[in-house]
Short mmCIF file of all heavy atoms in Angstrom, two decimals:
data_model
loop_
_atom_site.label_atom_id
_atom_site.label_comp_id
_atom_site.label_asym_id
_atom_site.label_seq_id
_atom_site.Cartn_x
_atom_site.Cartn_y
_atom_site.Cartn_z
N SER A 55 11.47 19.08 2.25
CA SER A 55 11.35 20.57 2.41
C SER A 55 10.54 21.19 1.27
O SER A 55 9.81 22.20 1.51
CB SER A 55 12.78 21.18 2.44
OG SER A 55 13.49 20.90 1.26
N LYS A 56 10.57 20.66 0.07
CA LYS A 56 9.85 21.21 -1.01
C LYS A 56 8.34 20.95 -0.90
O LYS A 56 7.56 21.47 -1.77
CB LYS A 56 10.36 20.61 -2.38
CG LYS A 56 10.13 19.11 -2.48
CD LYS A 56 10.75 18.59 -3.84
CE LYS A 56 10.55 17.10 -3.98
NZ LYS A 56 11.14 16.61 -5.24
N ASP A 57 7.89 20.22 0.09
CA ASP A 57 6.48 19.87 0.27
C ASP A 57 5.71 20.90 1.03
O ASP A 57 4.50 20.78 1.23
CB ASP A 57 6.30 18.50 0.93
CG ASP A 57 6.84 17.35 0.09
OD1 ASP A 57 6.75 17.43 -1.09
OD2 ASP A 57 7.43 16.43 0.69
N GLU A 58 6.37 21.92 1.49
CA GLU A 58 5.75 22.92 2.42
C GLU A 58 4.49 23.51 1.81
O GLU A 58 3.43 23.53 2.49
CB GLU A 58 6.74 24.00 2.76
CG GLU A 58 6.19 25.01 3.80
CD GLU A 58 7.22 26.06 4.19
OE1 GLU A 58 8.38 25.92 3.82
OE2 GLU A 58 6.83 27.07 4.89
N GLN A 59 4.59 24.02 0.63
CA GLN A 59 3.40 24.74 0.04
C GLN A 59 2.30 23.74 -0.23
O GLN A 59 1.13 24.05 -0.07
CB GLN A 59 3.83 25.37 -1.33
CG GLN A 59 2.70 26.16 -1.99
CD GLN A 59 2.16 27.33 -1.09
OE1 GLN A 59 2.91 27.92 -0.34
NE2 GLN A 59 0.90 27.67 -1.29
N LEU A 60 2.65 22.52 -0.63
CA LEU A 60 1.70 21.46 -0.93
C LEU A 60 0.88 21.17 0.38
O LEU A 60 -0.36 21.10 0.37
CB LEU A 60 2.45 20.24 -1.35
CG LEU A 60 1.66 18.86 -1.36
CD1 LEU A 60 0.43 18.91 -2.28
CD2 LEU A 60 2.60 17.75 -1.75
N ILE A 61 1.59 20.99 1.49
CA ILE A 61 0.96 20.69 2.73
C ILE A 61 0.08 21.84 3.24
O ILE A 61 -0.98 21.65 3.79
CB ILE A 61 2.01 20.33 3.82
CG1 ILE A 61 2.74 18.99 3.40
CG2 ILE A 61 1.42 20.14 5.18
CD1 ILE A 61 3.95 18.67 4.15
N LYS A 62 0.55 23.06 2.98
CA LYS A 62 -0.21 24.27 3.38
C LYS A 62 -1.57 24.24 2.61
O LYS A 62 -2.65 24.50 3.24
CB LYS A 62 0.56 25.51 3.08
CG LYS A 62 -0.19 26.77 3.39
CD LYS A 62 0.68 28.01 3.02
CE LYS A 62 -0.12 29.30 3.21
NZ LYS A 62 0.63 30.47 2.76
N GLU A 63 -1.53 23.99 1.33
CA GLU A 63 -2.80 23.99 0.56
C GLU A 63 -3.68 22.82 0.95
O GLU A 63 -4.93 22.96 0.93
CB GLU A 63 -2.46 23.92 -0.94
CG GLU A 63 -1.79 25.15 -1.46
CD GLU A 63 -1.66 25.17 -2.95
OE1 GLU A 63 -2.64 24.94 -3.60
OE2 GLU A 63 -0.45 25.43 -3.42
N LEU A 64 -3.13 21.68 1.30
CA LEU A 64 -3.93 20.58 1.78
C LEU A 64 -4.64 20.93 3.08
O LEU A 64 -5.79 20.58 3.33
CB LEU A 64 -3.03 19.32 1.95
CG LEU A 64 -2.45 18.70 0.70
CD1 LEU A 64 -1.57 17.55 1.01
CD2 LEU A 64 -3.57 18.27 -0.31
N LEU A 65 -3.90 21.63 3.97
CA LEU A 65 -4.51 22.04 5.23
C LEU A 65 -5.71 23.04 5.00
O LEU A 65 -6.70 22.93 5.67
CB LEU A 65 -3.55 22.63 6.19
CG LEU A 65 -4.03 23.09 7.58
CD1 LEU A 65 -4.64 21.83 8.27
CD2 LEU A 65 -2.94 23.67 8.44
N ALA A 66 -5.55 23.89 4.08
CA ALA A 66 -6.64 24.81 3.76
C ALA A 66 -7.84 24.02 3.26
O ALA A 66 -9.01 24.38 3.61
CB ALA A 66 -6.16 25.78 2.62
N ALA A 67 -7.63 22.96 2.50
CA ALA A 67 -8.79 22.10 2.07
C ALA A 67 -9.40 21.41 3.23
O ALA A 67 -10.61 21.27 3.28
CB ALA A 67 -8.24 21.09 1.02
N GLU A 68 -8.52 20.90 4.16
CA GLU A 68 -9.06 20.24 5.35
C GLU A 68 -9.93 21.20 6.14
O GLU A 68 -11.02 20.81 6.66
CB GLU A 68 -7.91 19.78 6.23
CG GLU A 68 -7.24 18.48 5.75
CD GLU A 68 -8.18 17.25 5.87
OE1 GLU A 68 -8.78 17.10 6.97
OE2 GLU A 68 -8.27 16.51 4.89
N ILE A 69 -9.54 22.42 6.26
CA ILE A 69 -10.32 23.45 7.03
C ILE A 69 -11.64 23.67 6.34
O ILE A 69 -12.69 23.73 7.00
CB ILE A 69 -9.52 24.76 7.13
CG1 ILE A 69 -8.29 24.54 8.04
CG2 ILE A 69 -10.41 25.86 7.73
CD1 ILE A 69 -7.29 25.71 8.00
#
Side-chain angles (χ1 to χ4, degrees):
S55 58
K56 63 182 179 181
D57 296 323
E58 183 178 351
Q59 184 61 30
L60 166 62
I61 295 169
K62 179 183 175 182
E63 292 189 51
L64 292 177
L65 182 57
E68 282 291 314
I69 293 169

